[in-house]
Amino acid sequence: MTPAPARAPGADTVWAATVIPAPQAAALRGDRRADVAVIGGGYAGLSAALHLAESGVDVALLESGEIGEGASGRNNGQVIPGFKYDPDELAAKLGETGERMAAWGGKLGDLVFSLIEKHRIDCAPRRAGWLQLAHSSGMARTVERRAAQWRNRGVDADFLDWPATAKILGTERYHGAWIDRRAGSVQPLSYARGLAFAAMRAGAHIFVQSPAQELERASRGWRVTTDRGGVTADTVLIATNAYTGDLWPGLRRSFIPAHSIQSATAPLDASLRASILPRGEVASDTQRIIFYYRLDPEGRFIIGGRGSFGETNPPLLFQYIERAASRFFPFLKKPRWEYRWGGKIAMTMDFLPRLHVLGPGVFAALGCNGRGVALATGMGRVLADLARGAMAADVPLPITPMRQIPFFEFRRPALTAITHYYRLRDMIG
């Protein structure tokens, strides 16, 4: 196996190597006042800042690193509408709230691609659809029912049998798939930077290298303190997702942070490109520990999967997904893997996102569970609505109390053991 070459800082991912220039943002120095302070420069925070600034709200965004430095610049760039649950499941689980969530979630692809078009974001957008690949005959029946549920709601979705799936994907590994044509792909880091450019043009003030260190009540609202200044605002939006720290007590213990890892080959030759997702679709499968695939605009094959629940990803995890690529796509032979990287996702116990009112004028959104491009963009707009005074009945997501996960300290070793077990189950079928 060819090891991944060393990369210069800032270009450890394929996205950092092919990204558009960053906006000219500086660190916060001194104190300032704003109507709304946004904490986090990923999709949710940037979307919130953009929507607020467009409506004339004075907004200041604080990012601890650079724009898109977290998961927003390190994901696979798959724009997948909806949630982990089928729409009928959401309705059965949550009643009218579930129906409202399903309808809203189903339109998140429209939101992403409309923002890209409106603000002319140069992020290689492609709306060719998403394939969910059935790894067994039983799951083929499941995804066929899933496609039917969405068709019944007017969505352009179809079930593909085994030959049709093999023709599109380039492998006979899977038993079928459903295709959701609302979905697509972007260059994820370029999309994040493009949102930042758009927000700044609309009047938002974005500060990088400005980690929020303390959040406390002030005489007029709240004060967010950084190492070199602070922002006082009437409203604070926390949009740090899997990179949430201890700014608000207990918030980081309300979800499970997990790594999603990816490996990218060198650009494939034309014949191989034509045999794997030739129309530009993106794909993920239905295994217990899923794999996901796409080609980037330069023709690199990118495979992703579950990483560690710790702070680092051992090489053997990358080797695992790379061996899977050779097993699923044998005609790739022994590709040269150019990039290896990971990023954190926020997993909730029921795989549904969280929207919290943490205090008077303090709102938080997190828990995209691996669908962050579309979902975080939408949640950012919801946060903006709340900051502008929307009531709970006016937003499409339920506002729930923030609850810490019981026995949080023991979750990591337990989940690691379960993941290893599921990987073994997947390998032996």
Side-chain angles (χ1 to χ4, degrees):
M1 178 174 297
T2 304
R7 294 287 162 188
D12 60 326
T13 76
V14 67
W15 311 126
T18 60
V19 69
I20 62 173
Q24 295 299 307
L28 175 68
R29 296 183 184 277
D31 294 338
R32 64 172 296 117
R33 175 84 197 175
D35 297 328
V36 179
V38 178
I39 301 171
Y43 299 141
L46 293 167
S47 174
L50 171 58
H51 286 97
L52 286 168
E54 285 186 317
S55 62
V57 175
D58 181 15
V59 56
L61 182 148
L62 301 172
E63 162 56 37
S64 63
E66 298 294 333
I67 294 299
E69 187 172 295
S72 293
R74 308 181 71 83
N75 64 84
N76 196 243
Q78 297 195 18
V79 184
I80 304 174
F83 305 94
K84 298 287 187 180
Y85 292 90
D86 294 337
D88 287 358
E89 286 181 300
L90 271 179
K93 184 179 180 67
L94 300 173
E96 184 180 341
T97 298
E99 286 283 7
R100 186 169 70 247
M101 286 179 63
W104 175 78
K107 296 177 181 177
L108 291 178
D110 294 337
L111 173 63
V112 170
F113 289 105
S114 66
L115 288 174
I116 291 169
E117 181 178 8
K118 176 182 178 180
H119 299 287
R120 299 181 181 180
I121 298 176
D122 181 11
C123 61
R126 192 166 187 180
R127 203 168 189 181
W130 166 63
L131 294 163
Q132 189 175 38
L133 309 165
H135 73 282
S136 68
S137 57
M139 286 306 303
R141 292 188 291 272
T142 296
V143 300
E144 185 173 13
R145 290 193 297 269
R146 187 164 293 153
Q149 286 185 36
W150 282 115
R151 275 200 311 275
N152 292 338
R153 287 167 166 79
V155 171
D156 186 8
D158 284 306
F159 173 72
L160 306 177
D161 61 13
W162 173 79
T165 302
K167 183 177 181 180
I168 291 178
L169 191 62
T171 176
E172 298 180 349
R173 171 81 179 191
Y174 293 100
H175 293 251
W178 79 285
I179 182 167
D180 184 348
R181 296 184 181 88
R182 300 169 298 178
S185 61
V186 295
Q187 208 279 24
L189 182 53
S190 291
Y191 174 56
R193 289 184 176 182
L195 288 175
F197 276 116
M200 293 170 74
R201 286 195 297 268
H205 304 279
I206 292 181
F207 301 97
V208 297
Q209 300 298 331
S210 302
Q213 297 178 334
E214 188 175 8
L215 175 60
E216 58 186 349
R217 292 302 301 263
S219 58
R220 293 178 57 197
W222 297 86
R223 176 176 168 79
V224 186
T225 303
T226 72
D227 55 351
R228 283 170 284 186
V231 176
T232 302
D234 301 316
T235 303
V236 176
L237 306 179
I238 300 177
T240 46
N241 206 38
Y243 293 81
T244 297
D246 293 319
L247 189 67
W248 190 272
L251 187 59
R252 73 173 181 87
R253 292 170 175 260
S254 67
F255 63 90
I256 300 294
H259 276 94
S260 186
I261 60 172
Q262 297 172 70
S263 293
T265 69
L268 305 178
D269 64 41
S271 63
L272 285 178
R273 292 188 203 186
S275 61
I276 303 174
L277 301 167
R279 297 178 299 195
E281 302 94 341
V282 295
S284 57
D285 66 22
T286 58
Q287 292 193 120
R288 298 169 184 86
I289 307 298
I290 71 167
F291 292 103
Y292 50 92
Y293 319 103
R294 66 168 293 186
L295 296 181
D296 80 344
E298 285 74 40
R300 297 176 182 87
F301 176 78
I302 306 174
I303 181 172
R306 176 68 53 79
S308 78
F309 290 94
E311 292 303 315
T312 60
N313 291 291
L316 63 88
L317 293 178
F318 293 98
Q319 294 165 9
Y320 175 77
I321 64 171
E322 290 161 9
R323 285 195 299 269
S326 297
R327 189 168 69 249
F328 295 170
F329 300 89
F331 53 84
L332 284 176
K333 302 185 187 303
K334 294 183 179 180
R336 180 164 63 90
W337 296 99
E338 279 195 334
Y339 296 88
R340 290 174 172 172
W341 72 95
K344 291 182 183 179
I345 63 173
M347 298 170 53
T348 59
M349 300 305 292
D350 60 2
F351 300 106
L352 288 174
R354 296 289 186 267
L355 188 62
H356 300 310
V357 180
L358 299 176
V362 180
F363 304 93
L366 52 83
C368 293
N369 293 284
R371 296 198 176 190
V373 181
L375 186 51
T377 302
M379 291 172 77
R381 186 166 69 173
V382 171
L383 285 174
D385 291 340
L386 290 170
R388 289 189 296 249
M391 304 300 290
D394 300 325
V395 297
L397 296 173
I399 296 176
T400 59
M402 188 272 291
R403 293 191 176 95
Q404 298 184 54
I405 295 174
F407 308 108
F408 181 85
E409 295 82 0
F410 302 101
R411 292 286 176 174
R412 181 180 296 174
L415 287 169
T416 299
I418 291 170
T419 299
H420 289 323
Y421 171 69
Y422 281 162
R423 283 199 182 106
L424 179 61
R425 290 280 303 274
D426 288 335
M427 289 180 67
I428 64 178

